[in-house]
Amino acid sequence: AVVSTQSGHYGRASIRQVTMATPQSAAEIRKSFIDFFKDKYEHTEVHSSSVIPHDDPTLLFANAGMNQFKPIFLGTVDPNSDMAKWKRVVNSQKCIRAGGKHNDLDDVGKDVYHHTFFEMMGNWSFGDYFKVPPRDILSRDKPLRDITLRFITCPAV
């Protein structure tokens, strides 16, 4: 089997040959994925949050691996929490999709009892992506700055 490993976090993709004598269970695949990022890139393992978000009224179910990190992305994380200290994390989030933007109903059938349940594995970087702060990169590279500023709004560089 050929396994493709992509990591936008480190900006490179690699393909490696993997020989499997026997099929792996979901638990073995999950452990292998998590251990890879913990061992090679010093990620912190974050366990799956509940599939029913308790403190997010915008979601009926966790539908993506990033849901539990929403406070970090929105800048609302409590600066005194453990979450605020995370720089690199790896997780396997249990998810349910039943409609909306990521609608799987066409694949599983439209009725009152079908939904898609799966685990989404991810590796994340919070403020640890660039070796040089983005502000410094943009101030040194005018073409990159011009392209970037056409698509995003950011403080003046």
Side-chain angles (χ1 to χ4, degrees):
V2 175
V3 176
S4 173
T5 305
Q6 279 193 303
S7 178
H9 173 89
Y10 292 97
R12 59 182 173 261
S14 63
I15 297 176
R16 56 191 167 102
Q17 186 71 32
V18 177
T19 304
M20 289 189 249
T22 59
Q24 290 183 302
S25 69
E28 291 168 326
I29 293 169
R30 181 185 318 108
K31 181 178 177 357
S32 175
F33 179 85
I34 289 170
D35 288 349
F36 174 82
F37 286 98
K38 285 171 58 177
D39 297 343
K40 188 161 184 171
Y41 297 111
E42 300 177 351
H43 283 55
T44 300
E45 180 180 358
V46 176
H47 294 282
S48 180
S49 63
S50 171
V51 293
I52 301 173
H54 299 291
D55 53 358
D56 188 343
T58 67
L59 293 170
L60 182 59
F61 301 115
N63 63 351
M66 65 176 280
N67 291 155
Q68 65 183 331
F69 308 121
K70 200 170 166 183
I72 296 172
F73 298 132
L74 295 177
T76 60
V77 67
D78 177 353
N80 298 313
S81 69
D82 287 340
M83 184 183 283
K85 297 175 182 92
W86 292 340
K87 292 298 179 199
R88 298 177 191 170
V89 301
V90 60
N91 73 329
S92 180
Q93 173 64 45
K94 292 170 180 63
C95 300
I96 297 175
R97 289 189 180 162
K101 180 179 177 184
H102 298 289
N103 186 352
D104 296 316
L105 290 178
D106 291 336
D107 298 323
V108 298
K110 294 182 181 180
D111 53 42
V112 296
Y113 53 87
H114 276 103
H115 60 275
T116 304
F117 178 76
F118 60 98
E119 289 186 64
M120 186 176 286
M121 296 185 284
N123 68 90
W124 309 89
S125 172
F126 308 115
D128 190 40
Y129 183 89
F130 295 100
K131 292 190 185 331
V132 176
R135 178 178 299 268
D136 292 348
I137 293 170
L138 292 178
S139 66
R140 284 188 258 157
D141 188 333
K142 185 172 176 4
L144 176 63
R145 180 180 185 275
D146 293 344
I147 291 168
T148 303
L149 293 177
R150 282 186 19 215
F151 294 102
I152 63 169
T153 303
C154 65
V157 187

